[in-house]
mmCIF file of all heavy atoms in Angstrom:
data_model
loop_
_atom_site.group_PDB
_atom_site.id
_atom_site.type_symbol
_atom_site.label_atom_id
_atom_site.label_comp_id
_atom_site.label_asym_id
_atom_site.label_seq_id
_atom_site.Cartn_x
_atom_site.Cartn_y
_atom_site.Cartn_z
ATOM 1 N N GLU Y 20 0.266 14.854 -23.053
ATOM 2 C CA GLU Y 20 0.457 16.175 -23.559
ATOM 3 C C GLU Y 20 1.906 16.630 -23.359
ATOM 4 O O GLU Y 20 2.459 17.419 -24.152
ATOM 5 C CB GLU Y 20 -0.462 17.174 -22.878
ATOM 6 C CG GLU Y 20 -1.888 17.019 -23.288
ATOM 7 C CD GLU Y 20 -2.770 18.084 -22.668
ATOM 8 O OE1 GLU Y 20 -2.878 18.149 -21.418
ATOM 9 O OE2 GLU Y 20 -3.402 18.864 -23.407
ATOM 10 N N GLN Y 21 2.558 16.072 -22.331
ATOM 11 C CA GLN Y 21 3.989 16.389 -22.087
ATOM 12 C C GLN Y 21 4.900 15.591 -22.970
ATOM 13 O O GLN Y 21 6.120 15.744 -22.909
ATOM 14 C CB GLN Y 21 4.346 16.101 -20.589
ATOM 15 C CG GLN Y 21 3.626 17.014 -19.628
ATOM 16 C CD GLN Y 21 3.758 16.516 -18.173
ATOM 17 O OE1 GLN Y 21 4.386 15.473 -17.909
ATOM 18 N NE2 GLN Y 21 3.149 17.251 -17.245
ATOM 19 N N GLY Y 22 4.367 14.737 -23.809
ATOM 20 C CA GLY Y 22 5.175 13.932 -24.721
ATOM 21 C C GLY Y 22 5.643 12.636 -24.065
ATOM 22 O O GLY Y 22 6.621 12.059 -24.558
ATOM 23 N N HIS Y 23 5.071 12.191 -22.980
ATOM 24 C CA HIS Y 23 5.437 11.050 -22.226
ATOM 25 C C HIS Y 23 4.546 9.873 -22.668
ATOM 26 O O HIS Y 23 3.381 9.785 -22.173
ATOM 27 C CB HIS Y 23 5.338 11.290 -20.749
ATOM 28 C CG HIS Y 23 5.924 10.224 -19.900
ATOM 29 N ND1 HIS Y 23 7.305 10.020 -19.779
ATOM 30 C CD2 HIS Y 23 5.387 9.282 -19.122
ATOM 31 C CE1 HIS Y 23 7.541 9.079 -18.974
ATOM 32 N NE2 HIS Y 23 6.415 8.565 -18.558
ATOM 33 N N PRO Y 24 4.952 9.007 -23.536
ATOM 34 C CA PRO Y 24 4.085 7.903 -24.035
ATOM 35 C C PRO Y 24 3.734 6.921 -22.936
ATOM 36 O O PRO Y 24 4.548 6.689 -22.009
ATOM 37 C CB PRO Y 24 4.900 7.225 -25.126
ATOM 38 C CG PRO Y 24 6.303 7.552 -24.813
ATOM 39 C CD PRO Y 24 6.285 8.883 -24.169
ATOM 40 N N LEU Y 25 2.578 6.368 -23.002
ATOM 41 C CA LEU Y 25 2.083 5.396 -21.980
ATOM 42 C C LEU Y 25 2.261 3.962 -22.499
ATOM 43 O O LEU Y 25 2.124 3.704 -23.692
ATOM 44 C CB LEU Y 25 0.655 5.638 -21.639
ATOM 45 C CG LEU Y 25 0.270 7.021 -21.037
ATOM 46 C CD1 LEU Y 25 -1.229 7.118 -20.844
ATOM 47 C CD2 LEU Y 25 1.045 7.213 -19.720
ATOM 48 N N ASP Y 26 2.607 3.061 -21.613
ATOM 49 C CA ASP Y 26 2.551 1.649 -21.832
ATOM 50 C C ASP Y 26 1.929 1.013 -20.593
ATOM 51 O O ASP Y 26 1.565 1.734 -19.635
ATOM 52 C CB ASP Y 26 3.886 1.034 -22.174
ATOM 53 C CG ASP Y 26 4.963 1.293 -21.101
ATOM 54 O OD1 ASP Y 26 4.580 1.533 -19.978
ATOM 55 O OD2 ASP Y 26 6.139 1.293 -21.408
ATOM 56 N N VAL Y 27 1.825 -0.281 -20.568
ATOM 57 C CA VAL Y 27 1.147 -0.994 -19.472
ATOM 58 C C VAL Y 27 1.806 -0.642 -18.184
ATOM 59 O O VAL Y 27 1.220 -0.359 -17.107
ATOM 60 C CB VAL Y 27 1.057 -2.502 -19.692
ATOM 61 C CG1 VAL Y 27 0.570 -3.215 -18.437
ATOM 62 C CG2 VAL Y 27 0.122 -2.818 -20.852
ATOM 63 N N GLU Y 28 3.181 -0.669 -18.179
ATOM 64 C CA GLU Y 28 3.903 -0.377 -16.930
ATOM 65 C C GLU Y 28 3.630 1.031 -16.447
ATOM 66 O O GLU Y 28 3.438 1.219 -15.260
ATOM 67 C CB GLU Y 28 5.411 -0.548 -17.211
ATOM 68 C CG GLU Y 28 6.280 -0.212 -15.988
ATOM 69 C CD GLU Y 28 7.751 -0.175 -16.322
ATOM 70 O OE1 GLU Y 28 8.146 -0.609 -17.415
ATOM 71 O OE2 GLU Y 28 8.551 0.295 -15.419
ATOM 72 N N HIS Y 29 3.649 1.983 -17.313
ATOM 73 C CA HIS Y 29 3.389 3.402 -16.927
ATOM 74 C C HIS Y 29 1.958 3.558 -16.418
ATOM 75 O O HIS Y 29 1.708 4.328 -15.483
ATOM 76 C CB HIS Y 29 3.699 4.342 -18.092
ATOM 77 C CG HIS Y 29 5.155 4.468 -18.364
ATOM 78 N ND1 HIS Y 29 5.644 4.184 -19.635
ATOM 79 C CD2 HIS Y 29 6.202 4.842 -17.618
ATOM 80 C CE1 HIS Y 29 6.970 4.415 -19.621
ATOM 81 N NE2 HIS Y 29 7.305 4.769 -18.421
ATOM 82 N N VAL Y 30 1.018 2.883 -17.036
ATOM 83 C CA VAL Y 30 -0.370 3.015 -16.592
ATOM 84 C C VAL Y 30 -0.506 2.423 -15.201
ATOM 85 O O VAL Y 30 -1.140 2.953 -14.313
ATOM 86 C CB VAL Y 30 -1.361 2.345 -17.614
ATOM 87 C CG1 VAL Y 30 -2.761 2.316 -17.032
ATOM 88 C CG2 VAL Y 30 -1.318 3.048 -18.915
ATOM 89 N N GLU Y 31 0.091 1.254 -14.981
ATOM 90 C CA GLU Y 31 0.029 0.604 -13.669
ATOM 91 C C GLU Y 31 0.663 1.504 -12.600
ATOM 92 O O GLU Y 31 0.135 1.641 -11.482
ATOM 93 C CB GLU Y 31 0.690 -0.743 -13.660
ATOM 94 C CG GLU Y 31 -0.046 -1.782 -14.456
ATOM 95 C CD GLU Y 31 0.749 -3.097 -14.592
ATOM 96 O OE1 GLU Y 31 1.984 -3.081 -14.378
ATOM 97 O OE2 GLU Y 31 0.135 -4.141 -14.860
ATOM 98 N N ARG Y 32 1.806 2.117 -12.939
ATOM 99 C CA ARG Y 32 2.481 2.973 -11.987
ATOM 100 C C ARG Y 32 1.673 4.280 -11.724
ATOM 101 O O ARG Y 32 1.626 4.743 -10.594
ATOM 102 C CB ARG Y 32 3.871 3.357 -12.528
ATOM 103 C CG ARG Y 32 4.788 4.043 -11.511
ATOM 104 C CD ARG Y 32 6.218 4.061 -11.985
ATOM 105 N NE ARG Y 32 6.721 2.709 -12.144
ATOM 106 C CZ ARG Y 32 7.184 1.972 -11.150
ATOM 107 N NH1 ARG Y 32 7.087 2.402 -9.911
ATOM 108 N NH2 ARG Y 32 7.626 0.743 -11.398
ATOM 109 N N THR Y 33 1.046 4.771 -12.769
ATOM 110 C CA THR Y 33 0.177 5.937 -12.612
ATOM 111 C C THR Y 33 -0.998 5.656 -11.716
ATOM 112 O O THR Y 33 -1.332 6.460 -10.855
ATOM 113 C CB THR Y 33 -0.314 6.450 -14.001
ATOM 114 O OG1 THR Y 33 0.849 6.745 -14.811
ATOM 115 C CG2 THR Y 33 -1.143 7.697 -13.836
ATOM 116 N N ILE Y 34 -1.577 4.452 -11.858
ATOM 117 C CA ILE Y 34 -2.686 4.055 -11.012
ATOM 118 C C ILE Y 34 -2.223 3.996 -9.537
ATOM 119 O O ILE Y 34 -2.886 4.571 -8.646
ATOM 120 C CB ILE Y 34 -3.218 2.708 -11.435
ATOM 121 C CG1 ILE Y 34 -3.994 2.840 -12.802
ATOM 122 C CG2 ILE Y 34 -4.151 2.086 -10.368
ATOM 123 C CD1 ILE Y 34 -4.342 1.474 -13.397
ATOM 124 N N ASP Y 35 -1.068 3.376 -9.321
ATOM 125 C CA ASP Y 35 -0.566 3.267 -7.924
ATOM 126 C C ASP Y 35 -0.334 4.636 -7.317
ATOM 127 O O ASP Y 35 -0.599 4.858 -6.135
ATOM 128 C CB ASP Y 35 0.775 2.485 -7.921
ATOM 129 C CG ASP Y 35 0.557 0.987 -8.158
ATOM 130 O OD1 ASP Y 35 -0.603 0.533 -8.051
ATOM 131 O OD2 ASP Y 35 1.534 0.316 -8.503
ATOM 132 N N MET Y 36 0.202 5.566 -8.113
ATOM 133 C CA MET Y 36 0.497 6.896 -7.578
ATOM 134 C C MET Y 36 -0.749 7.690 -7.274
ATOM 135 O O MET Y 36 -0.866 8.355 -6.253
ATOM 136 C CB MET Y 36 1.376 7.694 -8.581
ATOM 137 C CG MET Y 36 2.769 7.098 -8.745
ATOM 138 S SD MET Y 36 3.804 7.951 -9.959
ATOM 139 C CE MET Y 36 4.146 9.436 -9.040
ATOM 140 N N VAL Y 37 -1.733 7.609 -8.127
ATOM 141 C CA VAL Y 37 -3.024 8.305 -7.887
ATOM 142 C C VAL Y 37 -3.678 7.733 -6.624
ATOM 143 O O VAL Y 37 -4.256 8.467 -5.823
ATOM 144 C CB VAL Y 37 -3.934 8.239 -9.099
ATOM 145 C CG1 VAL Y 37 -5.332 8.708 -8.774
ATOM 146 C CG2 VAL Y 37 -3.361 9.052 -10.275
ATOM 147 N N LYS Y 38 -3.656 6.434 -6.501
ATOM 148 C CA LYS Y 38 -4.213 5.809 -5.290
ATOM 149 C C LYS Y 38 -3.523 6.310 -3.989
ATOM 150 O O LYS Y 38 -4.114 6.428 -2.954
ATOM 151 C CB LYS Y 38 -4.100 4.298 -5.344
ATOM 152 C CG LYS Y 38 -5.070 3.597 -6.285
ATOM 153 C CD LYS Y 38 -4.914 2.084 -6.266
ATOM 154 C CE LYS Y 38 -5.944 1.410 -7.132
ATOM 155 N NZ LYS Y 38 -5.774 -0.093 -7.099
ATOM 156 N N ALA Y 39 -2.219 6.659 -4.147
ATOM 157 C CA ALA Y 39 -1.424 7.156 -3.039
ATOM 158 C C ALA Y 39 -1.541 8.691 -2.943
ATOM 159 O O ALA Y 39 -0.793 9.269 -2.152
ATOM 160 C CB ALA Y 39 -0.027 6.733 -3.161
ATOM 161 N N ASP Y 40 -2.487 9.289 -3.687
ATOM 162 C CA ASP Y 40 -2.662 10.749 -3.638
ATOM 163 C C ASP Y 40 -1.457 11.505 -4.108
ATOM 164 O O ASP Y 40 -1.126 12.574 -3.553
ATOM 165 C CB ASP Y 40 -3.101 11.183 -2.261
ATOM 166 C CG ASP Y 40 -3.800 12.555 -2.270
ATOM 167 O OD1 ASP Y 40 -4.358 12.901 -3.340
ATOM 168 O OD2 ASP Y 40 -3.761 13.318 -1.259
ATOM 169 N N GLU Y 41 -0.729 10.982 -5.140
ATOM 170 C CA GLU Y 41 0.402 11.632 -5.720
ATOM 171 C C GLU Y 41 0.039 12.107 -7.119
ATOM 172 O O GLU Y 41 -0.931 11.642 -7.726
ATOM 173 C CB GLU Y 41 1.601 10.716 -5.782
ATOM 174 C CG GLU Y 41 2.076 10.232 -4.402
ATOM 175 C CD GLU Y 41 3.111 9.124 -4.437
ATOM 176 O OE1 GLU Y 41 3.275 8.520 -5.490
ATOM 177 O OE2 GLU Y 41 3.692 8.823 -3.408
ATOM 178 N N ARG Y 42 0.852 12.999 -7.693
ATOM 179 C CA ARG Y 42 0.595 13.545 -9.018
ATOM 180 C C ARG Y 42 1.556 13.015 -10.002
ATOM 181 O O ARG Y 42 2.681 13.520 -10.135
ATOM 182 C CB ARG Y 42 0.727 15.097 -8.926
ATOM 183 C CG ARG Y 42 -0.317 15.787 -8.060
ATOM 184 C CD ARG Y 42 -1.671 15.759 -8.630
ATOM 185 N NE ARG Y 42 -1.738 16.293 -9.979
ATOM 186 C CZ ARG Y 42 -1.936 17.610 -10.205
ATOM 187 N NH1 ARG Y 42 -2.061 18.444 -9.217
ATOM 188 N NH2 ARG Y 42 -2.020 18.038 -11.472
ATOM 189 N N PRO Y 43 1.207 11.973 -10.731
ATOM 190 C CA PRO Y 43 2.125 11.407 -11.712
ATOM 191 C C PRO Y 43 2.653 12.347 -12.754
ATOM 192 O O PRO Y 43 3.805 12.252 -13.137
ATOM 193 C CB PRO Y 43 1.263 10.303 -12.386
ATOM 194 C CG PRO Y 43 0.184 9.985 -11.428
ATOM 195 C CD PRO Y 43 -0.081 11.254 -10.696
ATOM 196 N N SER Y 44 1.859 13.328 -13.162
ATOM 197 C CA SER Y 44 2.328 14.281 -14.193
ATOM 198 C C SER Y 44 3.426 15.170 -13.678
ATOM 199 O O SER Y 44 4.249 15.667 -14.494
ATOM 200 C CB SER Y 44 1.152 15.147 -14.638
ATOM 201 O OG SER Y 44 0.576 15.911 -13.586
ATOM 202 N N GLU Y 45 3.518 15.362 -12.368
ATOM 203 C CA GLU Y 45 4.626 16.138 -11.802
ATOM 204 C C GLU Y 45 5.854 15.321 -11.577
ATOM 205 O O GLU Y 45 6.952 15.906 -11.412
ATOM 206 C CB GLU Y 45 4.167 16.774 -10.459
ATOM 207 C CG GLU Y 45 3.055 17.798 -10.579
ATOM 208 C CD GLU Y 45 2.651 18.343 -9.277
ATOM 209 O OE1 GLU Y 45 3.187 17.912 -8.245
ATOM 210 O OE2 GLU Y 45 1.707 19.236 -9.254
ATOM 211 N N VAL Y 46 5.695 13.980 -11.499
ATOM 212 C CA VAL Y 46 6.844 13.123 -11.236
ATOM 213 C C VAL Y 46 7.323 12.482 -12.507
ATOM 214 O O VAL Y 46 8.484 12.612 -12.922
ATOM 215 C CB VAL Y 46 6.488 12.054 -10.208
ATOM 216 C CG1 VAL Y 46 7.632 11.041 -9.999
ATOM 217 C CG2 VAL Y 46 6.108 12.655 -8.860
ATOM 218 N N LEU Y 47 6.438 11.687 -13.167
ATOM 219 C CA LEU Y 47 6.868 10.931 -14.334
ATOM 220 C C LEU Y 47 7.121 11.780 -15.549
ATOM 221 O O LEU Y 47 7.884 11.419 -16.449
ATOM 222 C CB LEU Y 47 5.760 9.922 -14.658
ATOM 223 C CG LEU Y 47 5.322 8.946 -13.528
ATOM 224 C CD1 LEU Y 47 4.213 8.038 -14.015
ATOM 225 C CD2 LEU Y 47 6.513 8.144 -13.004
ATOM 226 N N GLY Y 48 6.479 12.944 -15.637
ATOM 227 C CA GLY Y 48 6.610 13.773 -16.830
ATOM 228 C C GLY Y 48 7.720 14.783 -16.789
ATOM 229 O O GLY Y 48 7.911 15.546 -17.739
ATOM 230 N N THR Y 49 8.509 14.810 -15.713
ATOM 231 C CA THR Y 49 9.576 15.803 -15.594
ATOM 232 C C THR Y 49 10.906 15.166 -15.840
ATOM 233 O O THR Y 49 11.256 14.174 -15.253
ATOM 234 C CB THR Y 49 9.536 16.392 -14.159
ATOM 235 O OG1 THR Y 49 8.270 16.945 -13.923
ATOM 236 C CG2 THR Y 49 10.612 17.426 -14.002
ATOM 237 N N THR Y 50 11.666 15.738 -16.762
ATOM 238 C CA THR Y 50 12.998 15.210 -17.123
ATOM 239 C C THR Y 50 13.953 15.563 -15.985
ATOM 240 O O THR Y 50 14.065 16.753 -15.575
ATOM 241 C CB THR Y 50 13.510 15.810 -18.433
ATOM 242 O OG1 THR Y 50 12.620 15.441 -19.480
ATOM 243 C CG2 THR Y 50 14.903 15.353 -18.768
ATOM 244 N N ILE Y 51 14.679 14.539 -15.489
ATOM 245 C CA ILE Y 51 15.685 14.796 -14.446
ATOM 246 C C ILE Y 51 16.977 15.156 -15.077
ATOM 247 O O ILE Y 51 17.663 16.112 -14.686
ATOM 248 C CB ILE Y 51 15.838 13.520 -13.587
ATOM 249 C CG1 ILE Y 51 14.563 13.219 -12.781
ATOM 250 C CG2 ILE Y 51 17.023 13.651 -12.611
ATOM 251 C CD1 ILE Y 51 14.594 11.899 -12.035
ATOM 252 N N LEU Y 52 17.383 14.415 -16.086
ATOM 253 C CA LEU Y 52 18.623 14.729 -16.808
ATOM 254 C C LEU Y 52 18.576 14.045 -18.130
ATOM 255 O O LEU Y 52 17.858 13.118 -18.377
ATOM 256 C CB LEU Y 52 19.872 14.298 -15.983
ATOM 257 C CG LEU Y 52 20.003 12.839 -15.641
ATOM 258 C CD1 LEU Y 52 20.895 12.120 -16.658
ATOM 259 C CD2 LEU Y 52 20.597 12.667 -14.298
ATOM 260 N N ARG Y 53 19.396 14.539 -19.013
ATOM 261 C CA ARG Y 53 19.575 13.917 -20.350
ATOM 262 C C ARG Y 53 20.966 13.336 -20.401
ATOM 263 O O ARG Y 53 21.973 14.055 -20.337
ATOM 264 C CB ARG Y 53 19.378 14.929 -21.467
ATOM 265 C CG ARG Y 53 19.316 14.353 -22.849
ATOM 266 C CD ARG Y 53 19.116 15.462 -23.913
ATOM 267 N NE ARG Y 53 17.846 16.136 -23.700
ATOM 268 C CZ ARG Y 53 16.660 15.749 -24.258
ATOM 269 N NH1 ARG Y 53 16.659 14.674 -24.999
ATOM 270 N NH2 ARG Y 53 15.559 16.434 -24.000
ATOM 271 N N ALA Y 54 21.070 12.004 -20.518
ATOM 272 C CA ALA Y 54 22.360 11.336 -20.480
ATOM 273 C C ALA Y 54 23.149 11.699 -21.682
ATOM 274 O O ALA Y 54 22.615 12.043 -22.741
ATOM 275 C CB ALA Y 54 22.169 9.832 -20.379
ATOM 276 N N PRO Y 55 24.496 11.590 -21.632
ATOM 277 C CA PRO Y 55 25.359 11.886 -22.774
ATOM 278 C C PRO Y 55 25.035 11.070 -24.014
ATOM 279 O O PRO Y 55 25.250 11.523 -25.146
ATOM 280 C CB PRO Y 55 26.768 11.578 -22.273
ATOM 281 C CG PRO Y 55 26.642 11.788 -20.792
ATOM 282 C CD PRO Y 55 25.287 11.281 -20.437
ATOM 283 N N ASN Y 56 24.435 9.877 -23.846
ATOM 284 C CA ASN Y 56 24.048 9.068 -24.998
ATOM 285 C C ASN Y 56 22.724 9.422 -25.576
ATOM 286 O O ASN Y 56 22.186 8.789 -26.431
ATOM 287 C CB ASN Y 56 24.084 7.584 -24.671
ATOM 288 C CG ASN Y 56 23.105 7.207 -23.564
ATOM 289 O OD1 ASN Y 56 22.303 8.022 -23.144
ATOM 290 N ND2 ASN Y 56 23.115 5.947 -23.137
ATOM 291 N N GLY Y 57 22.126 10.533 -25.072
ATOM 292 C CA GLY Y 57 20.816 11.036 -25.569
ATOM 293 C C GLY Y 57 19.646 10.445 -24.846
ATOM 294 O O GLY Y 57 18.513 10.922 -25.050
ATOM 295 N N ARG Y 58 19.878 9.528 -23.948
ATOM 296 C CA ARG Y 58 18.756 8.905 -23.212
ATOM 297 C C ARG Y 58 18.208 9.943 -22.220
ATOM 298 O O ARG Y 58 18.945 10.569 -21.477
ATOM 299 C CB ARG Y 58 19.264 7.653 -22.493
ATOM 300 C CG ARG Y 58 18.152 6.910 -21.710
ATOM 301 C CD ARG Y 58 18.733 5.652 -21.167
ATOM 302 N NE ARG Y 58 17.776 4.840 -20.445
ATOM 303 C CZ ARG Y 58 17.996 3.651 -19.874
ATOM 304 N NH1 ARG Y 58 19.218 3.164 -19.945
ATOM 305 N NH2 ARG Y 58 17.055 3.011 -19.249
ATOM 306 N N ILE Y 59 16.892 10.045 -22.158
ATOM 307 C CA ILE Y 59 16.230 10.940 -21.215
ATOM 308 C C ILE Y 59 15.903 10.149 -19.947
ATOM 309 O O ILE Y 59 15.249 9.146 -19.974
ATOM 310 C CB ILE Y 59 14.937 11.520 -21.830
ATOM 311 C CG1 ILE Y 59 15.308 12.425 -23.062
ATOM 312 C CG2 ILE Y 59 14.189 12.385 -20.806
ATOM 313 C CD1 ILE Y 59 14.049 12.916 -23.771
ATOM 314 N N ILE Y 60 16.382 10.690 -18.824
ATOM 315 C CA ILE Y 60 16.176 10.022 -17.555
ATOM 316 C C ILE Y 60 15.105 10.749 -16.785
ATOM 317 O O ILE Y 60 15.160 11.970 -16.576
ATOM 318 C CB ILE Y 60 17.516 10.076 -16.738
ATOM 319 C CG1 ILE Y 60 18.664 9.610 -17.528
ATOM 320 C CG2 ILE Y 60 17.330 9.248 -15.451
ATOM 321 C CD1 ILE Y 60 18.550 8.209 -18.104
ATOM 322 N N ARG Y 61 14.045 10.013 -16.443
ATOM 323 C CA ARG Y 61 12.961 10.542 -15.658
ATOM 324 C C ARG Y 61 12.774 9.719 -14.384
ATOM 325 O O ARG Y 61 13.024 8.523 -14.400
ATOM 326 C CB ARG Y 61 11.653 10.532 -16.449
ATOM 327 C CG ARG Y 61 11.613 11.449 -17.672
ATOM 328 C CD ARG Y 61 10.257 11.401 -18.289
ATOM 329 N NE ARG Y 61 10.087 12.411 -19.366
ATOM 330 C CZ ARG Y 61 10.212 12.164 -20.616
ATOM 331 N NH1 ARG Y 61 10.496 10.904 -21.032
ATOM 332 N NH2 ARG Y 61 10.028 13.084 -21.542
ATOM 333 N N ALA Y 62 12.331 10.321 -13.325
ATOM 334 C CA ALA Y 62 11.956 9.604 -12.101
ATOM 335 C C ALA Y 62 10.711 8.752 -12.437
ATOM 336 O O ALA Y 62 9.863 9.195 -13.255
ATOM 337 C CB ALA Y 62 11.601 10.543 -10.989
ATOM 338 N N LYS Y 63 10.631 7.592 -11.876
ATOM 339 C CA LYS Y 63 9.502 6.749 -12.110
ATOM 340 C C LYS Y 63 8.613 6.592 -10.868
ATOM 341 O O LYS Y 63 7.663 5.822 -10.845
ATOM 342 C CB LYS Y 63 9.966 5.321 -12.596
ATOM 343 C CG LYS Y 63 10.666 5.386 -13.939
ATOM 344 C CD LYS Y 63 10.947 4.011 -14.438
ATOM 345 C CE LYS Y 63 11.586 4.066 -15.847
ATOM 346 N NZ LYS Y 63 11.896 2.714 -16.386
ATOM 347 N N SER Y 64 8.908 7.334 -9.832
ATOM 348 C CA SER Y 64 8.096 7.361 -8.619
ATOM 349 C C SER Y 64 8.386 8.645 -7.884
ATOM 350 O O SER Y 64 9.396 9.303 -8.061
ATOM 351 C CB SER Y 64 8.428 6.130 -7.747
ATOM 352 O OG SER Y 64 9.700 6.254 -7.140
ATOM 353 N N ALA Y 65 7.487 8.929 -6.949
ATOM 354 C CA ALA Y 65 7.703 10.118 -6.094
ATOM 355 C C ALA Y 65 8.969 9.958 -5.231
ATOM 356 O O ALA Y 65 9.692 10.901 -4.957
ATOM 357 C CB ALA Y 65 6.506 10.371 -5.215
#
């Protein structure tokens, strides 16, 4: 819903985070910065 597409890597990381009692939607779905080349930088772990 946040516009963050899933792939196998993201699903595996989401599984690991939920097992560790973390909230992937608060970490993976939040934009940290937008690089000058237009690339969106997001954290991939807590």
Side-chain angles (χ1 to χ4, degrees):
E20 289 184 300
Q21 294 168 1
H23 190 72
L25 298 177
D26 56 25
V27 171
E28 178 189 349
H29 289 122
V30 173
E31 290 175 340
R32 191 166 298 281
T33 301
I34 290 170
D35 289 343
M36 294 179 71
V37 168
K38 285 182 176 179
D40 200 26
E41 297 170 348
R42 296 290 302 274
S44 60
E45 295 179 358
V46 176
L47 305 180
T49 303
T50 299
I51 295 173
L52 61 95
R53 189 180 298 271
N56 62 5
R58 182 175 181 179
I59 297 175
I60 311 301
R61 294 185 173 98
K63 294 186 177 181
S64 71

